[in-house]
Every structure is written in C-alpha cells, then in structure tokens.
Amino acid sequence: ETWGDISPTEVEDSSYRFSGGRRMSEAVGQHDKNDEILKSIARLYQSDSDMVQFKNLLTMLNTTLTTISKEDIIWRKMNRYNTVNQIKEYMSNHKSDPSIQTFGFRLFGNMCDMDMGIKLIVDESIYLSLINTLQQPQYMNNPVVMAEGFRTLGMIAKKSDHHGALISKHKCKWCNHVTMALAELRTNVDLVENGVMSLSYLFKFNKKNDYILLKGRLQLFKDLLEAHSEHIPIQFHTTRLLTVLTSDETVSLFIEQDIPEMAMKNIHKFSAETNLVKECICLFEKLSYHQRNILPYGNIEDDVFASYRNNFTKLQQTGIYEVVRKLVLEEKTEDSDIIYSGLYVLEYLGEYEECSEVDAIDWSDYMFSVLEKWNMEDEKKKLVEVACACLAKLHEVRETVSVSESQCMNLVHVIFLHRENIPIFIGSCQAIAEILQKNQSFALTLFEKGIHLQVLQFMKDHPLLTISSTWDAFS
C-alpha cells in the first residue's frame, strides 16, 4: 500500500473537521504531540541512548494508539518514519533489558488489534526478531516478558489470515518454545493464558503437521486445564486449542484421554459463560465429525471396529444431546455458533435416530422455524445450511415425522433463493427428497407447478451437482 508523505498543510487541514476554535486547536495540538513522539523515537533509536525516555515514549505512543481511528494520520506518519522497525531494532539492541522488551511487546500487541497497525507489523523480519528475543536464555524464567511476547505473537497469528506462509514457516520453532515455557512456568496465570492463546491461533495454519507437533503434549494441556480449573480465559483458550487440533489423526486420542468429559464438565460448571460453552460445543462438533469420518470400511478386525464403536458411544454418553436440546429447544438460544455446532453434533452422533418421537417432531419443527426466521438474512446463511442438512438426516431416519404443506413450500423457497449457494442447495434438495418420498400429495403439487423443471435447470447450472443425491428429489 502506498502511504504517501505527510505535509504540515495536511495536519492543519485535518483540523477543519472539528467545530469550534478550542477543539480545532486541540486536534492540531494532538497531531503535533504525536509527531514529536515519533520523531523522538527516531532520535533515540539513532543515538541508541536513554532507555528510560524510550520506554516513556513507548508508553505514550501506546496510549495514543488506543484512542485513535483507523483513518488517523499517525498511521501514515509511523510508516513514513519507519517507527515499527526502529522499535524492533531498539528492542534487538537491548535484548538484555526486560523492561524494554515488555514495553515493546505490549505496544506491538495492541497495534495488532487495529487494521492499520497489523499492516505495519506483519513482516517476516519483525515476526522472527520477536521470536528470537523470547528465546534468549535470560527470559525463559521471566514470566512477565514471556506473557507479553506470547500475547503479541498470538495476536499477529490471529490477524494474519493472508500471511499463513509466514506463520507456518516458523510454526515448529514457536510451538516448541511456547510448550517448553508452559511446562516450566505453568503456575503463572498470565503466561499460561497468553501462551495457550498464541498456540490456538498458531495451529490454524498449515495443519498437516499438527499431529506430530501435538505428540507428547496433550498431557500438558490436560494438566493446565486441571491446574487452572477456575480460570475461565485459560479454560476457553485451551478448549479452543484442542478444537483447532482435532482431526482424523487426533480424534481417537482425544476421546481416549477423556477430553469430551472435561469439556462437558466446563459446560455444566460455567453455564453462564456463553463463550466458553460455545467453544465446548464446537469442540464436540469437531470430535463427532472426525470420529464419524474415520469409520472403518471393508474387511476389518473386530477389535478395530470395537474401538471405533466404543469411542462413538463415549461421545454419546457424555450427555451432549441433553445439553444441546436444553439450549436450543428449551432456552431458545439465538447464538448462531451454538445452534450451528449443536445441530451438527446431533447429526454426526446419530441422535436424530435415537431420540424420542416427541423430540423428533420438535426438532423438525425447530429446523423449519430456522428456515422461516432467517432464510432472508445473509449473515445467517450457515444456520440455513445446518437446518437443511439436519432436516434431510432427520426425515431419512424418522419416517413418521409429519410435515405441513406450508413447511414443504418453505423448503422449496429455500432452494430457489439459495440456488447459488451449493451447500444450502444440496441440503435443501436432499431434505425435500426425503419428505416427498412419504408425501405423494406434495410431490404432485410440485409437479403441477412445474417446480421440478426449474430445479433441474438450477442443477444444470452447477455441473458438479449432477452426480449428487439432489437428483433423487425430483426423480
């Protein structure tokens, strides 16, 4: 991005946005103050002196950045004066001073919360320099520096969706360092919270080596959950880390090591903490999805299938069905993540087949209500997707659940409205396929309206759909 130069005229012109002489002079005065802070940092960097004043300047700059907008002129000035690199180099030149490192990390971490700040920070030389600083022997037993460093690198990973290659390149080194510090300083709450948080964002990149990096470390994460059982942020970040790490390769290990039971304990213990409950249900979704994914096929030995079936049963016996039923059907939560993950958990675990007849009817009516309520809202598309997918599964395994004509037409409306969204289109077609098999009158109504011809045309517009079960709906 081209930032351009900043002239005194621009600073003066910006003051005209404010009404009143006092506010105008205050705005100009603040611009002048910010400019002087950046120039002072540059002078101290060049002379490499007066660490006390440098720390004061970092504190002032940190305070300023937390009160400005993304359009503020200071961002372009920081780019012009090369401020971030100057601070990074000053930190590097004073690696032995823990307070300089703490102040620098804190500033960079707060900058990551802002779109303009992350643009200045996401650079390989800066990222690698911060990692190398934390790996200095004198900081391995300094929880203050380590906690600030972990937070900063975690925030960089969180905000760096378009820089995955940079994060992945140093992933192994970073993972080894953080887990070593967590093992050595596991009683320090700030260090554990920020360390686990940084890992949870680090592991979203380049996931193919996760199982190797995880090997031997799962017990550490379990120990942290148990040691800090009353600390909600640590419970949240560790649960999120385990969710990110769940895969076909790790799911059996997680279930055998009682990770689902630990998540369920948190759901009951911290039922008022929505974010933690949401993350625990998301973990159940990932566990049930990957456990279903590794279903053994072909000629397999009895003990292999028995192990698979045992893990599947352990997930079902945690009580996740009752938790989701209470949150969704009884408490009527409108939290999109809880609804999305909860409905999928029940599908993956086959709960729609096992639940009572009354519950099956309630689930069907609830899913249709989701379509009716949120069908037109773009930000709720993932709820429409899960409702369609679970309706298809529910009506496949429960033939006695009835559907009204208005519900059926609502599903047709979903097909037409979301014909460009392949997951929703496939799910809605599969759902109506199951419903029409036991409701011939509905099928005749759709046929008379010529709806089948229009849907077939939609499928022709998506060649990949010709081999899917969407054809079954109108065959």
Side-chain angles (χ1 to χ4, degrees):
E1 183 175 345
T2 301
W3 295 78
D5 290 333
I6 308 301
S7 66
T9 305
E10 287 183 79
V11 177
E12 292 171 7
D13 289 345
S14 67
S15 64
Y16 292 122
R17 301 193 196 103
F18 299 88
S19 60
R22 178 179 296 177
R23 293 178 65 192
M24 182 163 56
S25 63
E26 286 176 355
V28 174
Q30 185 61 49
H31 282 302
D32 291 342
K33 179 182 177 182
N34 295 342
D35 198 55
E36 186 56 37
I37 291 173
L38 300 182
K39 288 179 179 178
S40 296
I41 288 174
R43 284 195 297 270
L44 289 177
Y45 160 71
Q46 291 166 2
S47 63
D48 196 28
S49 62
D50 203 342
M51 287 190 286
V52 174
Q53 187 180 355
F54 194 84
K55 284 182 279 190
N56 290 337
L57 290 169
L58 292 185
T59 301
M60 294 168 65
L61 181 58
N62 201 8
T63 302
T64 297
L65 295 183
T66 58
T67 60
I68 63 174
S69 67
K70 66 179 182 180
E71 292 85 10
D72 199 284
I73 204 169
I74 193 173
W75 295 116
R76 287 191 287 168
K77 287 189 173 186
M78 288 179 70
N79 186 70
R80 177 186 179 187
Y81 295 141
N82 199 25
T83 303
V84 171
N85 271 301
Q86 289 172 355
I87 295 172
K88 183 258 295 185
E89 289 296 329
Y90 199 92
M91 290 172 66
S92 181
N93 293 339
H94 297 275
K95 278 193 173 75
S96 61
D97 189 301
S99 57
I100 286 288
Q101 310 308 316
T102 302
F103 279 73
F105 278 128
R106 187 172 298 150
L107 173 66
F108 288 157
N110 289 337
M111 285 178 65
C112 289
D113 272 333
M114 310 170 208
D115 291 340
M116 304 307 289
I118 195 68
K119 288 181 180 180
L120 296 174
I121 289 176
V122 177
D123 174 271
E124 182 163 16
S125 65
I126 293 175
Y127 186 73
L128 193 56
S129 176
L130 298 181
I131 292 177
N132 289 336
T133 296
L134 287 176
Q135 289 181 319
Q136 297 299 305
Q138 66 265 35
Y139 296 135
M140 274 306 294
N141 292 311
N142 189 320
V144 177
V145 175
M146 299 290 274
E148 288 292 348
F150 290 169
R151 174 178 172 270
T152 299
L153 290 170
M155 293 300 295
I156 291 175
K158 177 183 179 180
K159 298 283 188 173
S160 300
D161 287 336
H162 302 297
H163 301 274
L166 165 62
I167 308 299
S168 299
K169 186 175 180 181
H170 308 289
K171 181 176 179 179
C172 185
K173 177 191 291 187
W174 181 231
C175 175
N176 290 336
H177 183 64
V178 176
T179 52
M180 187 183 304
L182 289 173
E184 293 291 329
L185 301 169
R186 64 180 68 194
T187 59
N188 186 279
V189 172
D190 289 339
L191 182 138
V192 171
E193 178 184 339
N194 290 326
V196 176
M197 179 273 286
S198 71
L199 288 177
S200 72
Y201 291 115
L202 176 72
F203 273 101
K204 71 179 181 178
F205 298 104
N206 188 23
K207 298 180 67 60
K208 65 181 181 180
N209 294 322
D210 282 359
Y211 182 70
I212 298 173
L213 291 174
L214 174 67
K215 200 170 183 180
R217 296 185 171 106
L218 180 57
Q219 187 58 49
L220 170 63
F221 301 141
K222 287 182 63 179
D223 291 344
L224 294 176
L225 284 172
E226 292 173 358
H228 300 279
S229 60
E230 301 298 325
H231 195 276
I232 293 172
I234 290 177
Q235 297 296 314
F236 172 82
H237 290 302
T238 308
T239 302
R240 187 183 185 282
L241 172 60
L242 293 171
T243 302
V244 172
L245 288 171
T246 303
S247 64
D248 287 358
E249 292 77 21
T250 63
V251 63
S252 296
L253 176 64
F254 281 13
I255 296 174
E256 290 162 6
Q257 292 292 315
D258 299 326
I259 296 301
E261 285 78 6
M262 298 181 78
M264 185 55 64
K265 184 178 179 181
N266 272 342
I267 290 175
H268 292 306
K269 185 176 181 179
F270 301 108
S271 57
E273 298 294 334
T274 303
N275 287 333
L276 179 53
V277 170
K278 185 189 312 184
E279 197 58 53
C280 289
I281 294 176
C282 185
L283 174 58
F284 269 101
E285 179 207 343
K286 292 286 293 291
L287 289 169
S288 56
Y289 171 79
H290 288 287
Q291 180 61 23
R292 188 190 68 167
N293 231 27
I294 61 172
L295 172 66
Y297 290 100
N299 297 320
I300 57 173
E301 297 181 13
D302 290 344
D303 58 341
V304 175
F305 186 79
S307 175
Y308 167 83
R309 187 66 245 179
N310 181 58
N311 283 342
F312 210 81
T313 303
K314 283 184 71 174
L315 283 173
Q316 293 173 317
Q317 292 178 344
T318 57
I320 187 62
Y321 175 80
E322 291 302 328
V323 167
V324 174
R325 185 188 182 285
K326 181 180 178 182
L327 289 170
V328 176
L329 293 184
E330 294 182 16
E331 297 181 1
K332 308 294 185 184
T333 180
E334 293 198 358
D335 189 292
S336 298
D337 294 323
I338 290 178
I339 296 171
Y340 181 86
S341 294
L343 294 185
Y344 266 136
V345 165
L346 302 191
E347 183 200 340
Y348 298 148
L349 294 181
E351 295 289 3
Y352 298 127
E353 186 173 4
E354 301 293 334
C355 68
S356 69
E357 188 69 19
V358 173
D359 277 6
I361 294 171
D362 288 345
W363 282 120
S364 178
D365 289 342
Y366 174 78
M367 293 166 197
F368 276 114
S369 73
V370 168
L371 299 183
E372 185 177 355
K373 185 174 184 179
W374 287 312
N375 192 27
M376 304 293 291
E377 299 185 29
D378 285 343
E379 66 271 18
K380 300 291 187 178
K381 281 184 178 179
K382 72 176 191 175
L383 294 186
V384 176
E385 174 195 331
V386 68
C388 290
C390 292
L391 270 174
K393 187 64 178 179
L394 175 65
H395 285 277
E396 175 191 352
V397 299
R398 303 301 286 263
E399 296 184 359
T400 58
V401 177
S402 61
V403 176
S404 69
E405 185 170 347
S406 63
Q407 288 175 328
C408 185
M409 294 308 297
N410 191 14
L411 199 50
V412 172
H413 182 60
V414 172
I415 295 175
F416 277 66
L417 186 63
H418 297 283
R419 59 184 180 272
E420 299 298 327
N421 186 308
I422 291 181
I424 295 178
F425 184 76
I426 291 177
S428 55
C429 284
Q430 289 174 334
I432 208 166
E434 298 297 337
I435 292 171
L436 293 182
Q437 287 187 37
K438 50 193 175 186
N439 292 278
Q440 294 299 315
S441 60
F442 293 167
L444 182 60
T445 299
L446 297 184
F447 184 79
E448 290 173 347
K449 293 177 181 292
I451 289 175
H452 62 297
L453 298 177
Q454 297 177 65
V455 175
L456 289 173
Q457 184 58 51
F458 296 156
M459 284 190 268
K460 289 179 181 179
D461 294 338
H462 296 289
L464 292 177
L465 295 180
T466 58
I467 60 172
S468 78
S469 58
T470 52
W471 283 105
D472 295 342
F474 299 94
S475 63

